[in-house]
Amino acid sequence: MTGAGAVLALILLEWAAGWIVVAAWSQSWDVIRRGHFRITAYAVAFLAVLTSLAYRSIHYVDPSAAAIHVQNILVWSFLGATVCYVLVQFSNTDVPGVVIGYLAGGLGAAALVASATLLRDWFVPLAAVGLITGAALLGAVTNGMMLGHWYLNQPGLKTWALARLTTLGIVTVGASAVAGVAGAHTLTNAPTHGATLGLSGFGDSFGPAFFVVWAARRCVNIKSIQSATGLYYVAILTAGVAEFLVRYLMLNA
């Protein structure tokens, strides 16, 4: 896989897969009203459509027909699962949404692993871990931002719900940083200006992302939900920039 189309496809798949699996986790708490998950479901389904279109534009170097076929099946299966996720939001309980959300997230993760097998000069497990941790990071900060806004529609919602997502955000930033350091040796042919600690591919956005999510957690602790929500905008920006940077390097190392 190579080219700008591949970078976009990976980012879209990471974002959609991470978003839906973290949404399924928060839906399992049975404290957030269904309207929040209906909005999330429509947004993720739209991203999944864009993902499937982006994967059609990917250019492959020394492609394996079987590997590409498996990857495409998983991407289209992920799209189908996200459509089902929209439909089950109109059921009587949250259980179908949780089950389908986890299923869709699993298919998205499998598609990311399949994509990792098509990257040039990469140790597949290392590339897969990098993609999955990136998905978890994008999913955590996006769900945090969405839930922060939902407090306006559900004033009685306890702050521990957003606190869980900020904790997950902190963990996923750390996991993404570790994955970046582990893959730095493969990215030495694709240096970036301002790389943290001089490690190519680690990027200078992970530090800001960590401190922004940590600050959001502090706002949650003092029950300033709207301040935390505002910080999540910054978290999404920094996480998105970091992911685009690292995926670009991954495909061009």
Side-chain angles (χ1 to χ4, degrees):
M1 295 173 60
T2 188
V7 175
L8 179 60
L10 287 175
I11 292 296
L12 288 172
L13 181 56
E14 284 184 73
W15 193 7
W19 195 347
I20 199 169
V21 75
V22 177
W25 177 51
S26 59
Q27 192 165 10
S28 71
W29 306 338
D30 198 29
V31 296
I32 306 169
R33 292 176 186 164
R34 192 73 58 81
H36 170 73
F37 298 108
R38 288 175 182 169
I39 295 170
T40 294
Y42 283 120
V44 171
F46 177 70
L47 278 182
V49 170
L50 295 180
T51 299
S52 64
L53 294 175
Y55 264 84
R56 295 178 62 184
S57 68
I58 291 178
H59 175 69
Y60 296 94
V61 178
D62 299 325
S64 166
I68 294 174
H69 184 62
V70 170
Q71 174 193 256
N72 290 339
I73 288 175
L74 289 169
V75 169
W76 284 100
S77 297
F78 173 69
L79 172 59
T82 61
V83 173
C84 291
Y85 186 67
V86 173
L87 298 177
V88 298
Q89 297 308 323
F90 296 91
S91 62
N92 293 327
T93 71
D94 282 322
V95 174
V98 175
V99 173
I100 297 299
Y102 280 138
L103 173 62
L107 289 169
L112 287 171
V113 172
S115 298
T117 67
L118 295 168
L119 297 176
R120 292 183 302 167
D121 303 324
W122 270 92
F123 180 50
V124 173
L126 181 59
V129 168
L131 292 172
I132 291 173
T133 56
L137 172 58
L138 289 173
V141 296
T142 304
N143 276 278
M145 186 270 289
M146 293 287 290
L147 184 59
H149 284 90
W150 188 252
Y151 276 84
L152 296 173
N153 297 314
Q154 190 177 340
L157 182 59
K158 301 298 183 182
T159 57
W160 63 257
L162 188 57
R164 284 187 180 181
L165 291 178
T166 55
T167 299
L168 177 63
I170 291 171
V171 171
T172 56
V173 170
S176 294
V178 170
V181 171
H185 66 285
T186 310
L187 298 168
T188 53
N189 292 325
T192 62
H193 176 70
T196 301
L197 302 179
L199 296 174
S200 301
F202 187 35
D204 55 355
S205 293
F206 286 108
F210 175 83
F211 287 111
V212 169
V213 177
W214 177 82
R217 177 53 188 256
R218 296 297 300 167
C219 289
V220 173
N221 288 344
I222 63 174
K223 302 186 185 305
S224 182
I225 296 299
Q226 294 311 305
S227 296
T229 303
L231 286 166
Y232 266 110
Y233 281 107
V234 183
I236 289 176
L237 177 62
T238 53
V241 168
E243 284 302 306
F244 267 105
L245 171 64
V246 176
R247 297 313 152 224
Y248 174 81
L249 295 174
M250 178 178 279
L251 270 70
N252 290 279

